[in-house]
Amino acid sequence: MSRRWATGSLLILLCTPALAAPLTSNTALPVAKGEFVAREQILVRERERPDDATVEVNVLISVLGYGVTPDLAVFGVLPLLDKTLTPPTGPKRSTEGQGDLTLFGRYTLWREDMPGRTARIAALGGVIAPTGDDDDRDNQGRLPRPFQNGTGAWGGLAGIVATWQTLDYQLDGQLVYRGFGSDEAYRPGDVYRFDISLQYRLWPKTLTRGTPGFLYALIEANVIQLDRDVLSGARLDTGGTQWFLTPGIQYVTKRWIVEGGVQLPVEQDRNGNAFADEYIARVGLRFNF
Amino acid sequence: MHKFMFSPLMLLMAASAIAGPRYAIDVDGLACPFCAYGLEKRLLEEPAVERVETDVVQGRMLVEVKDNSALTREQADKAIEDAGFTLRSFEALPQ
């Protein structure tokens, strides 16, 4: 396998919870005991490399959350991917299928509830199971490992998330680490990320009574450090440091939320000849049931 | 014309006459519509509860229970705690 095919991990895409909350990261808001929340998000990502190779990634991310206790919620995240790699010369290569399954728990460590507002801090921890195909092939042979839908390796995640929510706005911040083991001498790069999100109520402009739908404008920032993948001891040209800003909009009702936004790279320091993002567009729906 | 005006009013009066006891419950920590749903579901799982209306803006839930039934503060407290929120006040409304 040539290092020049390396596309970088897709795992940074998958921090997407199912609560009323940020578009690109997690929240500490509760899931009621015994209740389910779900989320479907469509993501379109365009990436490019200095030699003009491009990757287009379309993902359907499904999230299911369940409240085990008032403080403990568990989530499952499964992506369905469709990826196309266009090299500078030669034919395109593509793959589609399910990615790796992420299962994680979130435990509320501290909360302070007040009239019309709440502050919460929660810990996150979980596993990434290698459920995605890591041996997909086309007529040119096996696809490069970083381009496969699955990593082939077990991984884990740990982090902390904090939320301050009022009737007028919501602020969320998180620190998350994702690490991986090895598979066939391939080890995906570790991921470190810091995310912050502000959602500000645009409508209704003034609140009187009842439970109207809320229209929020949101702005989010993501700082992501993605280490290089390693294959047979060689460090691949993947990852780097990225800073995104995400403007978006969200309409929230009691039963469902519809939302959308675009992650725009502000600064990208890629590792060697690694791919960097042009944009990541997200639209989605969340629902209580 | 009078017939149309009287009919809804009479229905409303009849409905209040057969309604069970009602309670006003103030909840701390409730600040968005999406979070209210889990809270309503937890309260509706109480066997006595017939209907719940949430006022997110006021942080208040109006709970109506079945005729000849009652809701205790402890039951309301547990339902709200299970939903991840905090009971601030519990008041039985006059019939």
Side-chain angles (χ1 to χ4, degrees):
Chain A
M1 181 197 309
S2 167
R3 289 186 212 178
R4 63 196 301 264
W5 298 114
T7 60
S9 171
L10 292 166
L11 292 157
I12 64 167
L13 305 177
L14 302 178
C15 264
T16 50
L19 302 164
L23 191 65
T24 61
S25 59
N26 288 292
T27 184
L29 292 177
V31 180
K33 180 183 171 186
E35 304 299 334
F36 288 94
V37 290
R39 179 179 195 176
E40 295 293 329
Q41 190 175 77
I42 294 169
L43 181 151
V44 177
R45 184 183 198 188
E46 297 275 356
R47 315 197 77 199
E48 54 78 28
R49 213 169 47 186
D51 63 1
D52 290 335
T54 61
V55 170
E56 182 182 327
V57 185
N58 301 308
V59 194
L60 173 66
I61 304 169
S62 300
V63 183
L64 185 64
Y66 178 74
V68 180
T69 73
D71 292 324
L72 176 66
V74 291
F75 300 89
V77 184
L78 186 67
L80 285 175
L81 300 123
D82 177 358
K83 301 195 282 188
T84 303
L85 171 65
T86 306
T89 57
K92 291 184 178 184
R93 307 188 76 176
S94 61
T95 182
E96 58 186 48
Q98 77 173 41
D100 290 344
L101 173 69
T102 301
L103 297 170
F104 70 97
R106 191 200 60 192
Y107 188 79
T108 304
L109 300 171
W110 174 84
R111 85 173 202 235
E112 183 69 40
D113 288 336
M114 295 147 277
R117 58 192 61 200
T118 186
R120 290 161 193 257
I121 297 174
L124 306 170
V127 296
I128 302 159
T131 55
D133 186 1
D134 63 315
D135 192 29
D136 198 11
R137 295 163 189 271
D138 61 13
N139 56 15
Q140 298 179 68
R142 189 181 188 187
L143 295 167
R145 282 302 294 266
F147 188 64
Q148 299 278 351
N149 288 322
T151 59
W154 283 88
L157 70 89
I160 193 155
V161 56
T163 295
W164 168 244
Q165 186 190 48
T166 74
L167 286 164
D168 293 330
Y169 67 92
Q170 180 176 334
L171 195 60
D172 300 273
Q174 72 166 14
L175 278 168
V176 173
Y177 164 78
R178 288 170 184 250
F180 296 89
S182 297
D183 173 63
E184 296 178 349
Y186 171 71
R187 183 177 183 275
D190 292 347
V191 184
Y192 309 82
R193 58 182 295 162
F194 171 67
D195 306 275
I196 192 159
S197 168
L198 172 68
Q199 300 127 71
Y200 184 80
R201 179 172 49 77
L202 296 177
W203 187 88
K205 276 187 177 176
T206 54
L207 295 174
T208 51
R209 58 192 315 115
T211 306
F214 284 9
L215 179 68
Y216 290 104
L218 59 91
I219 183 79
E220 304 186 357
N222 322 101
V223 178
I224 302 162
Q225 162 68 39
L226 180 58
D227 289 348
R228 290 173 186 265
D229 296 353
V230 175
L231 182 63
S232 302
R235 301 175 74 226
L236 305 181
D237 276 358
T238 59
T241 304
Q242 294 179 295
W243 172 29
F244 292 100
L245 274 182
T246 309
I249 200 146
Q250 196 174 54
Y251 186 70
V252 179
T253 73
K254 257 197 306 193
R255 291 296 302 271
W256 51 267
I257 297 172
V258 62
E259 60 194 345
V262 183
Q263 275 177 277
L264 300 168
V266 177
E267 190 68 44
Q268 301 190 89
D269 179 17
R270 64 182 99 203
N271 289 332
N273 197 33
F275 279 88
D277 284 286
E278 295 186 347
Y279 68 87
I280 304 171
R282 296 171 184 260
V283 291
L285 183 68
R286 313 182 206 198
F287 41 96
N288 277 309
F289 62 95
Chain B
M1 177 68 180
H2 283 233
K3 196 164 147 189
F4 285 109
M5 285 180 67
F6 271 112
S7 298
L9 185 60
M10 288 172 73
L11 279 172
L12 194 63
M13 289 169 68
S16 19
I18 58 167
R22 295 188 307 141
Y23 302 85
I25 301 170
D26 288 339
V27 179
D28 280 351
L30 185 59
C32 96
F34 200 68
C35 299
Y37 188 75
L39 196 49
E40 287 185 0
K41 279 190 78 177
R42 294 305 308 176
L43 277 165
L44 283 165
E45 281 169 15
E46 289 295 327
V49 173
E50 178 89 2
R51 201 160 67 94
V52 178
E53 275 182 28
T54 307
D55 184 336
V56 168
V57 178
Q58 306 294 327
R60 172 164 284 208
M61 310 195 77
L62 290 174
V63 178
E64 186 178 308
V65 301
K66 292 168 186 162
D67 211 12
N68 299 320
S69 299
L71 182 70
T72 64
R73 183 186 174 96
E74 289 69 30
Q75 287 171 319
D77 191 21
K78 183 171 186 324
I80 290 164
E81 184 60 34
D82 281 350
F85 296 94
T86 304
L87 176 70
R88 176 159 33 105
S89 68
F90 177 88
E91 181 190 0
L93 297 174
Q95 290 271 35

